[in-house]
Amino acid sequence: MIAPRTLFDKLWDAHVIVAQEHGDTLLWVDRHFVHEGSHHAFAKIGARGMPVARPDLTFGVADHYVPTRGRAGTAAIPDATVRGMVEKLEANTKRHGVRLFGLDDPAQGIVHVVGPERGLTLPGTLVVCGDSHTATHGALGAYSFGIGASEVAHVLATQTIWQRKPKNMRIRVDGRLAPGLTAKDMILAVIAEIGTDGAVGHAVEYAGAAVRALSIEGRLTLCNMSIEAGARTGMVAPDETTIAYLRGRPSVVSGAAFDRAAAEWLALAGDDGAQFDKDVSLDADKIAPTVTWGTSPEHALPVTAAVPDPAGIADVAKAAHVADAIAYMGLKAGQAISSIPIDRVFIGSCTNSRIEDLRAAAAVLAGRKAKVPGLVSPGSSQIKVQAEQEGLDRIFTAAGLEWAASGCSMCVGMNGDLVASGERCASTTNRNFKGRQGEGARTHLMSPAMVAAAAVAGTIADVRPMLEGRM
Amino acid sequence: MEPFKSLTAVACPLPFANIDTDQIVPARFMSTPRSAGYGGFLFHDRRRGADGQPTGAFPLDKPERASAKIIVAKRNFGCGSSREAAVYALMDFGIRCAIAPSFGEIFGGNSLSNGLLNARVSERDADVLLAELEAGLLDLRVDLDAQSITGGKAPIPFEIDPAAKLRLINGWDDVQMTLSFKDQITAFQKRDAVERPWVKPV
Ligand code: SF4
């Protein structure tokens, strides 16, 4: 009898080509996404004169550098560096016969939004991309992880990757999220609980009733931030929600072939009795709207809490770290988080830019005005069209926010969408590192509904009272 | 890739936990081709004050640490973004070995691809090393084969995955390594096309 296997064990086993004695294992890659930042890797295979091994399994997406305002084709991008990055991706994908979701493609968007949306990401597939948030795709039951430029070059050249098998970790969230709370609150609460290195060396499977109850959009948000807990990957076992999401998507098989595939996907769920090396569990009922106050995603607290006081922390190094974060963020120890004034808001990024996220923010903003400026950038050009059909764009603009095109935008600021030095931004993104949204920028991470609440209040605010009568 | 056997060099203490790759190299430098050199971007914003000038306060800017080839940090070094540029910045600055209790995993893979040794030590040993360096110790010797760090009061053992050790010591290139398994890769593709027909994008 074979020992019971976890979802991750099954995904791993299905991709092993060569397992070496010392643990290095050569795995087959089913989907490889490249973006503007992959120029180093293309240069590497170019220097060796190597072709792309499987252009049919490689997909280019223009997202990290693309402009989100005044978009009028690559040639019209005013900044020469930005234009050069988009042009390089166009040239590299063209030369190697790789399908590109380019600047003017109606299917363009952020790589981790486009993959699931097109049905390119499937349960049971191994997905890599030169981007640390690749674990997002695990929401569909895929084994997905971020890789560096040399590894991107290796995958381009061989369609394989060397890995050591991570350990199994399960994060269970049982119970039920309160109304107005989302997957973002859930994952911030998880990271606050286990720390930014709490899952290092592990493949995380999210489980439990509160996870099952999430839509695929919510699961994508959840898996997206796995890297912020140090995990190699994050995933949710495929279920009927997964199958319903995938049916009819453009790149997925259809008819009887789909039904056969769906049966295989459902069988990927972990076996009864499968063992995890690490198990963590949280109660969804105890999760409150969660925001970060500091410079690490683990600096997350309920909106009703106060900025911690380093004087109360016994561990000297930790106290110094907290004091440093408070100083960078321009806050005071003991200050109520819900009173912190903000300068701008950003709704977007691969964490929270899907249609459900935009609807949640719009539900708060409808009929209200934002006290601060802000930018809303949908996760894909398709989501942009859908949101406009639903009238969400008009709610954002009526509130005083700017409605832009799709891309990584202010998540990382590579395209020039930056938060000014010293400015404080309520943001739906995934990293509040020093300087992440621009040199000297201060970032508070939270859900789209919470960002909308902050826009209306002009300070970080609890969204729950603002939702009364609206849900 | 150049093989890594042992290294005796100036070591620099970076007594911080969770040093993310955004700090090691800010995103705005990443459009630069590698040939232009990334050394000047290393810890760019952390080394500079509000006026954009180096403050001289960052450990790597101390004159006696300017030639450091080894850095010692606290837990979770290199976490965050997958940017291999972080490793380029360290290598182009001259760093060949990073010592810490734990590393970001993508950073670990990137280090391996470029021949940068990540030596895992216990949290206690990291603190001991940091204290000795901050008290004035300059040189450390890192021996990969023996997995030991000497130069301080007592030798300190370090951990590394056996496969990574083999690759570093031999300077193996991963693409070459993979191509030696060409037949297995072809066989896998054949079998897989039958077993998982739904993988092929429509
Ligand atoms: S939106 Fe942000 S986190 Fe997501 S892929 Fe783009 S830069 Fe990375």
Side-chain angles (χ1 to χ4, degrees):
Chain A
M1 202 188 98
I2 325 170
R5 294 184 299 166
T6 63
L7 161 65
F8 176 65
D9 292 337
K10 294 182 188 182
L11 292 174
W12 175 271
D13 291 349
H15 292 88
V16 174
I17 302 168
V18 177
Q20 294 197 304
E21 233 172 83
H22 48 58
D24 238 6
T25 304
L26 189 64
L27 300 175
W28 178 253
V29 173
D30 295 312
R31 299 284 186 268
H32 183 199
F33 294 102
V34 294
H35 53 82
E36 299 96 312
S38 309
H39 66 101
H40 287 296
F42 279 107
K44 274 176 207 263
I45 63 162
R48 286 174 180 254
M50 292 183 87
V52 172
R54 291 293 300 267
D56 59 325
L57 302 180
T58 311
F59 300 89
V61 183
D63 59 359
H64 280 67
Y65 285 83
V66 296
T68 48
R69 294 139 156 177
R71 209 184 257 188
T74 309
I77 300 175
D79 183 302
T81 307
V82 170
R83 188 172 63 244
M85 291 297 280
V86 179
E87 282 171 350
K88 252 190 246 178
L89 177 67
E90 288 172 357
N92 281 323
T93 47
K94 190 163 175 215
R95 178 175 321 132
H96 294 281
V98 168
R99 161 84 162 96
L100 171 67
F101 297 95
L103 188 58
D104 298 317
D105 194 311
Q108 178 270 345
I110 304 172
V111 60
H112 310 310
V113 176
V114 170
E117 184 177 271
R118 304 301 299 171
L120 286 167
T121 305
L122 297 173
T125 52
L126 191 153
V127 180
V128 297
C129 171
D131 184 281
S132 60
H133 292 97
T134 306
T136 313
H137 305 254
L140 291 158
Y143 172 25
S144 59
F145 52 96
I147 55 178
S150 295
E151 291 171 318
V152 170
H154 184 276
V155 179
L156 286 174
T158 67
Q159 199 61 29
T160 64
I161 185 139
W162 289 100
Q163 289 288 295
R164 291 176 67 78
K165 192 178 179 192
K167 292 182 184 156
N168 277 291
M169 176 169 179
R170 178 169 55 189
I171 299 179
R172 287 190 69 95
V173 189
D174 283 302
R176 246 178 85 180
L177 281 175
L181 272 85
T182 67
K184 183 64 161 286
D185 301 291
M186 192 188 279
I187 189 63
L188 286 173
V190 166
I191 297 165
E193 169 89 14
I194 68 174
T196 48
D197 57 357
V200 166
H202 291 78
V204 169
E205 179 176 344
Y206 299 95
V211 173
R212 285 273 144 249
L214 291 174
S215 64
I216 293 298
E217 280 84 354
R219 295 178 192 182
L220 289 160
T221 301
L222 188 67
C223 292
N224 175 269
M225 289 190 71
S226 303
I227 181 77
E228 259 50 74
R232 193 69 185 108
T233 180
M235 58 191 69
V236 177
D239 57 11
E240 290 303 334
T241 307
T242 321
I243 305 302
Y245 176 90
L246 286 169
R247 196 185 296 274
R249 296 213 169 244
S251 302
V252 191
V253 290
S254 53
F258 182 88
D259 294 332
R260 272 198 303 277
E264 283 181 42
W265 295 337
L266 291 172
L268 288 168
D271 300 328
D272 289 338
Q275 294 296 311
F276 290 86
D277 302 285
K278 204 168 171 180
D279 233 317
V280 172
S281 79
L282 262 77
D283 184 353
D285 295 84
K286 295 204 178 112
I287 298 175
T290 306
V291 303
T292 62
W293 56 267
T295 55
S296 160
E298 71 185 15
H299 292 158
L301 283 171
V303 64
T304 48
V307 175
D309 187 350
I313 300 170
D315 181 331
V316 183
K318 216 170 161 198
H321 185 48
V322 167
D324 176 69
I326 291 175
Y328 179 85
M329 295 298 290
L331 299 171
K332 284 197 214 74
Q335 180 177 3
I337 288 175
S338 65
S339 73
I340 300 170
I342 55 154
D343 301 307
R344 68 175 54 247
V345 300
F346 176 62
I347 298 173
S349 89
C350 57
T351 315
N352 279 128
S353 60
R354 285 165 282 269
I355 193 72
E356 210 175 75
D357 301 316
L358 302 181
R359 286 181 192 142
V364 176
L365 285 164
R368 291 179 172 138
K369 289 268 182 248
K371 287 205 177 118
V372 294
L375 184 65
V376 186
S377 171
S380 73
S381 302
Q382 234 185 296
I383 294 172
K384 183 165 188 273
V385 171
Q386 190 182 355
E388 287 168 0
Q389 282 165 355
E390 294 182 17
L392 304 182
D393 59 321
R394 291 188 293 283
I395 294 178
F396 293 125
T397 50
L401 302 181
E402 192 180 347
W403 175 248
S406 171
C408 293
S409 185
M410 210 173 270
C411 172
V412 68
M414 285 173 171
N415 72 338
D417 293 346
L418 289 162
V419 176
S421 187
E423 262 192 3
R424 187 181 304 286
C425 181
S427 180
T428 64
T429 53
N430 46 43
R431 286 197 174 128
N432 53 344
F433 297 162
K434 288 178 181 172
R436 169 74 178 185
Q437 294 188 290
E439 219 180 320
R442 295 161 170 162
T443 304
H444 294 274
L445 306 176
M446 59 194 84
S447 75
M450 283 288 286
V451 167
V456 170
T459 68
I460 295 177
D462 193 334
V463 69
R464 288 172 292 190
M466 290 193 207
L467 282 171
E468 260 158 48
R470 292 190 176 213
M471 293 192 58
Chain B
M1 202 173 77
E2 256 191 49
F4 187 114
K5 302 219 158 36
S6 70
L7 170 70
T8 305
V10 171
C12 180
L14 298 175
F16 317 106
N18 294 317
I19 295 180
D20 57 72
T21 54
D22 275 78
Q23 291 179 56
I24 300 175
V25 60
R28 61 184 185 280
F29 299 119
M30 283 164 52
S31 53
T32 312
R34 175 70 192 278
S35 52
Y38 273 67
F41 307 146
L42 182 64
F43 289 112
H44 187 278
D45 295 350
R46 291 209 55 172
R47 295 165 71 177
R48 284 163 179 79
D51 58 356
Q53 295 305 314
T55 60
F58 196 72
L60 279 169
D61 290 321
K62 299 272 187 305
E64 70 276 18
R65 307 286 171 186
S67 61
K69 286 189 173 10
I70 302 168
I71 49 172
V72 182
K74 297 198 178 201
R75 70 176 177 92
N76 210 17
F77 184 80
C79 60
S81 160
S82 62
R83 61 190 69 171
E84 193 160 308
V87 175
Y88 302 160
L90 287 161
M91 300 273 303
D92 291 356
F93 185 88
I95 306 299
R96 290 290 172 274
C97 170
I99 301 171
S102 60
F103 294 89
E105 286 180 278
I106 306 177
F107 177 84
N110 292 339
S111 294
L112 190 54
S113 302
N114 289 278
L116 176 77
L117 170 62
N118 288 359
R120 273 197 315 272
V121 296
S122 71
E123 216 141 342
R124 262 199 57 215
D125 284 342
D127 288 340
V128 168
L129 273 177
L130 284 168
E132 289 188 320
L133 290 169
E134 288 182 306
L137 176 67
L138 277 181
D139 282 5
L140 290 178
R141 180 181 159 78
V142 180
D143 185 328
L144 177 52
D145 191 42
Q147 293 184 217
S148 109
I149 300 161
T150 48
K153 284 195 191 87
I156 285 173
F158 70 84
E159 276 180 57
I160 179 169
D161 294 329
K165 181 173 174 177
L166 259 182
R167 265 180 69 182
L168 281 170
I169 283 195
N170 293 295
W172 278 337
D173 170 272
D174 57 347
V175 174
Q176 286 306 334
M177 211 161 82
T178 305
L179 294 179
S180 70
F181 293 107
K182 222 170 152 209
D183 295 345
Q184 285 92 328
I185 297 173
T186 310
F188 181 95
Q189 291 186 64
K190 268 202 191 129
R191 192 176 68 232
D192 191 51
V194 179
E195 283 177 3
R196 299 187 306 155
W198 45 266
V199 173
K200 206 173 147 49
V202 177

